[in-house]
Amino acid sequence: MTRTSATLIGFTAILLWSTLALATSATGAVPPFLLTTLTFAIGGTVGLIAALVRGVGLEVLRQPWPVWLHGVGGLFGYHFFYFSALKLAPPAEAGLIAYLWPLLIVLLSSLLPGESLRAPHIIGAVMGLAGTVVLLAGKAGGLGFAPEYLPGYAAAAVCAVVWATYSVLSRRFHNVPTEVVAGFCLITAALSVLCHLAFEPAVWPVGATQWIAVAALGIGPVGLAFYAWDIGMKRGDIRLLGVASYAAPVLSTLLLVVAGYAAASWTLAVACALIVGGALVATLLARNSRKS
């Protein structure tokens, strides 16, 4: 697989994640850890079936413990701290801090063998972060970081570090088959059901529409997306994927607008301009600097 094709597959994950808000809104009042349990169970099962169809046996799951620590720690750790942050702090501020992970991916990628950090990548990532700030501030009517929410802000920061670390360290495990992600998903589902039993009421999906939405989440944004992201991180352009990840919240908002769940606004237009501009800076200027 070429670096370009792996990067394009990584972009697929970003596109799928942009559907999260719309699909989640169709799941009704299902609490977050129960929804995580259901969707990761579906995503892991679909991954195992796909592996068996392709002739990859279950022995692929026999991996050393660092592989499992990396995978389960990334998937479950991210969701645990993200949901904790949303419970302990206002969602706009918590979401903004959590969405530092694309910038962290760009910065941490410089530590990998054969990778170098260029100014256009940093500029592009900062522009993407600025676009996210504008988008979330517009939704919330402004951002205010109050001291009483420090535990929530800290959880959001840990969430960002966990996902960025998981993503970048995937390159260190480039010899581990992507099919192992199915195992990561199933263990994440098992740990999430424990959190659900400990912290949440049991509110199950109601009706065919909500169950279809749960299945769609499990197959797409919580299933295929993690396999695609694994390929992109292991074999693609990590820095470009990090910058491009800022497109997810904007695309998500655009989908909500099209579906009638949200209204278009000037903040959405500004956020689009910043994030698209950041991606162009990261690709075109970085390409020119390599040629010079």
Side-chain angles (χ1 to χ4, degrees), residues 73-225:
L75 296 186
F76 175 73
Y78 170 81
H79 288 85
F80 177 83
F81 285 107
Y82 180 71
F83 294 143
S84 298
L86 293 181
K87 286 181 176 294
L88 297 172
E93 287 83 350
L96 178 58
I97 295 172
Y99 231 82
L100 287 171
W101 63 261
L103 177 59
L104 292 176
I105 286 177
V106 173
L107 297 176
L108 291 175
S109 67
S110 63
L111 302 177
L112 293 172
E115 300 287 348
S116 60
L117 189 61
R118 299 177 183 272
H121 293 115
I122 298 177
I123 295 171
V126 171
M127 289 178 67
L129 178 60
T132 305
V133 171
V134 170
L135 182 67
L136 294 180
K139 287 182 179 180
L143 296 171
F145 292 90
E148 61 264 30
Y149 299 121
L150 279 177
Y153 302 152
V158 173
C159 161
V161 171
V162 166
W163 188 251
T165 302
Y166 164 77
S167 298
V168 174
L169 283 182
S170 294
R171 183 64 61 91
R172 295 284 188 177
F173 295 96
H174 63 276
N175 290 324
V176 176
T178 293
E179 288 82 1
V180 178
V181 174
F184 300 161
C185 289
L186 292 175
I187 295 180
T188 296
L191 294 174
S192 296
V193 76
L194 297 178
C195 292
H196 163 66
L197 294 173
F199 305 125
E200 297 175 337
V203 181
W204 291 84
V206 178
T209 299
Q210 292 186 10
W211 278 108
I212 290 172
V214 170
L217 279 171
I219 295 171
V222 183
L224 180 60

